[in-house]
Amino acid sequence: MTMSFWGFSQDWFGFNRYKDDNERIKASGNYPEVVFMGNSITEYWAYYHPNFFSDNNFCGRGISGQTSSQMLVRFTADVVELHPKAVVIMAGTNDVAHNDYYVEPEKVVENIIAMCDIAKANGIIPIISSIPPCSGFPWRQEIENPGQTIVNINKSLKTYAENNGIVYVDYHTALADKNLGLPKNLSDDGCHPNPNTYLTMESLVMKAVRSLSDK
């Protein structure tokens, strides 16, 4: 995942990426129903399908290249202060890719759990997304067998979600091929969904969001 143009080296946590838009939302008082927290997969989602977000009063807060640790640090600014009813958390791809350094898979799970805890402490319902499938990173070709690492993290996330009454969105099962990656018809680079693939993801996440009305 390539870094966005917003100045990665001077703003490692990404506080400035959405600062102006966050201030606009807070000033208007028109808070989103759901915030989508993530990396480039979420950032591209909002770029490819802006109407999905605007029509549903959703808010995309994805930053290309970010790890779960970076998302955890900016979670208050980009989620809590926007007062959504729910947050969809999708993190871990860049941790598995060792974007900044080696991260133990358990740490990814811990970071996502921490985001869930912050959300719940502020009256926001967390929704945990699986890490989408990827059998190889174009920008980190030396990483061996990332597909299985992603599967292992997802198993831990699903178990945590089930044990704590949190909705879990399983993109991985819906999208993965036999090599635990994204097939060519769903992705141009084997990691990022193409525009049509997001339609499948939207169907899955909308079921999750609608299920919240039953809670």
Side-chain angles (χ1 to χ4, degrees):
M1 296 183 180
T2 56
M3 303 298 113
S4 296
F5 64 89
W6 44 267
F8 174 81
S9 62
Q10 297 179 2
D11 185 18
W12 190 80
F13 294 111
F15 289 124
N16 291 325
R17 176 66 174 83
Y18 294 105
K19 181 179 179 181
D20 290 345
D21 196 41
N22 289 344
E23 292 300 323
R24 179 189 59 78
I25 290 172
K26 288 185 282 187
S28 71
N30 183 25
Y31 296 114
E33 291 287 313
V34 181
V35 172
F36 284 63
M37 168 61 80
N39 50 43
S40 63
I41 296 173
T42 298
E43 184 174 15
Y44 296 170
W45 193 344
Y47 174 78
Y48 287 135
H49 291 184
N51 289 344
F52 171 71
F53 288 84
S54 61
D55 291 350
N56 292 292
N57 193 21
F58 294 163
C59 183
R61 287 297 179 262
I63 295 182
S64 179
Q66 281 212 329
T67 63
S68 60
S69 295
Q70 290 167 298
M71 293 181 212
L72 175 58
V73 173
R74 67 179 175 92
F75 195 83
T76 295
D78 283 348
V79 178
V80 174
E81 292 181 0
L82 298 184
H83 305 290
K85 293 180 179 178
V87 57
V88 176
I89 302 167
M90 180 165 54
T93 296
N94 292 309
D95 299 82
V96 177
H98 307 171
N99 261 28
D100 293 302
Y101 43 79
Y102 172 75
V103 177
E104 294 181 354
E106 294 80 7
K107 184 61 179 176
V108 180
V109 178
E110 290 173 6
N111 285 339
I112 292 172
I113 290 174
M115 284 186 262
C116 290
D117 288 343
I118 294 171
K120 289 188 287 186
N122 287 276
I124 300 167
I125 301 173
I127 297 173
I128 296 175
S129 301
S130 71
I131 304 172
C134 183
S135 58
F137 303 109
W139 67 99
R140 286 287 190 275
Q141 296 182 20
E142 70 276 14
I143 303 296
E144 297 182 0
N145 201 19
Q148 187 58 54
T149 302
I150 289 172
V151 167
N152 295 342
I153 293 173
N154 285 340
K155 286 181 179 178
S156 295
L157 292 174
K158 184 177 182 180
T159 297
Y160 168 76
E162 290 175 345
N163 290 342
N164 290 273
I166 295 174
V167 175
Y168 178 76
V169 185
D170 190 0
Y171 301 128
H172 193 281
T173 297
L175 302 176
D177 61 19
K178 63 181 181 180
N179 297 316
L180 304 179
L182 276 173
K184 291 183 178 179
N185 65 313
L186 300 182
S187 173
D188 294 330
D189 64 1
C191 182
H192 297 88
N194 64 31
N196 288 335
T197 304
Y198 283 113
L199 296 175
T200 299
M201 296 171 65
E202 287 166 12
S203 176
L204 292 171
V205 78
M206 285 303 294
K207 289 180 182 178
V209 171
R210 291 179 182 127
S211 74
L212 299 180
S213 61
D214 299 327
K215 290 185 174 293

Coordinates of all heavy atoms in Angstrom, one line a residue, residues 31 35 74-84 87 115 118-119 121-122 124:
Y31 N -23.7 14.6 12.4 CA -22.8 13.5 12.6 C -23.1 12.2 11.8 O -24.3 12.0 11.6 CB -22.7 13.1 14.1 CG -22.2 14.2 15.0 CD1 -23.1 14.9 15.9 CD2 -20.9 14.7 14.9 CE1 -22.6 15.9 16.7 CE2 -20.4 15.7 15.7 CZ -21.3 16.3 16.6 OH -20.8 17.4 17.4
V35 N -18.9 5.3 11.1 CA -17.6 5.6 10.6 C -16.9 4.4 10.2 O -16.9 3.4 10.9 CB -16.8 6.4 11.6 CG1 -15.3 6.6 11.2 CG2 -17.4 7.8 11.9
R74 N -5.2 7.4 16.3 CA -6.1 8.5 15.8 C -7.6 8.1 16.0 O -8.5 8.9 15.5 CB -5.8 8.7 14.3 CG -6.1 7.6 13.4 CD -5.8 8.0 11.9 NE -5.9 6.9 11.0 CZ -7.1 6.7 10.3 NH1 -8.1 7.5 10.4 NH2 -7.1 5.7 9.4
F75 N -7.9 7.1 16.7 CA -9.3 6.6 16.8 C -10.2 7.7 17.5 O -11.3 7.9 17.0 CB -9.3 5.3 17.6 CG -10.6 4.6 17.5 CD1 -10.9 3.7 16.5 CD2 -11.6 4.7 18.5 CE1 -12.1 3.0 16.4 CE2 -12.8 4.0 18.4 CZ -13.0 3.2 17.4
T76 N -9.7 8.3 18.5 CA -10.5 9.4 19.1 C -10.8 10.5 18.2 O -12.0 10.9 18.1 CB -9.7 9.9 20.4 OG1 -9.6 8.8 21.3 CG2 -10.5 11.1 21.0
A77 N -9.8 11.0 17.5 CA -10.0 12.1 16.6 C -10.9 11.8 15.4 O -11.8 12.6 15.0 CB -8.7 12.7 16.1
D78 N -10.7 10.6 14.8 CA -11.4 10.3 13.6 C -12.7 9.4 13.8 O -13.4 9.2 12.8 CB -10.5 9.5 12.7 CG -9.5 10.4 12.0 OD1 -9.7 11.7 12.0 OD2 -8.5 10.0 11.3
V79 N -12.9 9.0 15.0 CA -14.2 8.2 15.3 C -14.9 8.8 16.4 O -16.0 9.3 16.3 CB -13.9 6.7 15.5 CG1 -15.1 6.0 15.8 CG2 -13.2 6.1 14.3
V80 N -14.4 8.8 17.6 CA -15.1 9.2 18.8 C -15.6 10.6 18.7 O -16.8 10.8 19.1 CB -14.2 9.0 20.1 CG1 -14.9 9.6 21.3 CG2 -13.8 7.6 20.3
E81 N -14.8 11.5 18.3 CA -15.3 12.9 18.2 C -16.3 13.2 17.2 O -16.9 14.3 17.1 CB -14.1 13.8 18.1 CG -13.1 13.8 19.3 CD -11.9 14.7 19.1 OE1 -11.8 15.4 18.1 OE2 -11.1 14.8 20.1
L82 N -16.6 12.2 16.3 CA -17.7 12.4 15.3 C -19.0 11.8 15.8 O -20.0 11.9 15.1 CB -17.2 11.7 14.0 CG -16.0 12.3 13.3 CD1 -15.7 11.6 12.0 CD2 -16.1 13.8 13.1
H83 N -19.0 11.2 17.0 CA -20.2 10.7 17.6 C -21.1 9.8 16.7 O -22.3 10.0 16.6 CB -21.0 11.9 18.1 CG -20.3 12.8 19.0 ND1 -19.9 12.4 20.3 CD2 -19.8 14.1 18.8 CE1 -19.2 13.5 20.9 NE2 -19.2 14.5 20.0
P84 N -20.5 8.9 16.0 CA -21.4 8.0 15.2 C -22.1 7.0 16.1 O -21.7 6.8 17.3 CB -20.3 7.2 14.4 CG -19.1 7.1 15.3 CD -19.1 8.5 16.0
V87 N -19.1 2.0 14.5 CA -17.8 2.1 13.8 C -17.5 0.7 13.2 O -17.6 -0.3 13.9 CB -16.7 2.6 14.7 CG1 -16.5 1.7 15.9 CG2 -15.4 2.7 13.9
M115 N -9.5 -0.6 20.2 CA -10.4 0.3 19.5 C -11.8 0.0 19.8 O -12.7 0.9 20.0 CB -10.2 0.2 18.0 CG -8.9 0.9 17.5 SD -8.8 0.9 15.7 CE -7.6 -0.4 15.4
I118 N -12.5 1.4 23.3 CA -12.7 2.9 23.3 C -14.1 3.2 22.7 O -14.8 4.1 23.2 CB -11.6 3.5 22.4 CG1 -10.2 3.3 23.1 CG2 -11.9 5.0 22.2 CD1 -9.1 3.8 22.2
A119 N -14.5 2.5 21.7 CA -15.8 2.8 21.1 C -16.9 2.5 22.1 O -17.8 3.4 22.3 CB -16.0 1.9 19.8
A121 N -16.8 2.4 25.3 CA -16.7 3.4 26.4 C -17.3 4.7 26.1 O -17.7 5.5 27.0 CB -15.2 3.6 26.9
N122 N -17.5 5.0 24.8 CA -18.0 6.3 24.3 C -19.4 6.1 23.7 O -19.9 7.0 23.0 CB -17.1 6.9 23.4 CG -15.9 7.5 24.0 OD1 -15.9 8.6 24.6 ND2 -14.8 6.8 24.1
I124 N -20.4 4.0 21.4 CA -20.4 3.7 20.0 C -20.3 2.2 19.8 O -19.5 1.5 20.5 CB -19.1 4.3 19.3 CG1 -19.2 5.8 19.5 CG2 -19.1 3.9 17.8 CD1 -17.9 6.5 19.1

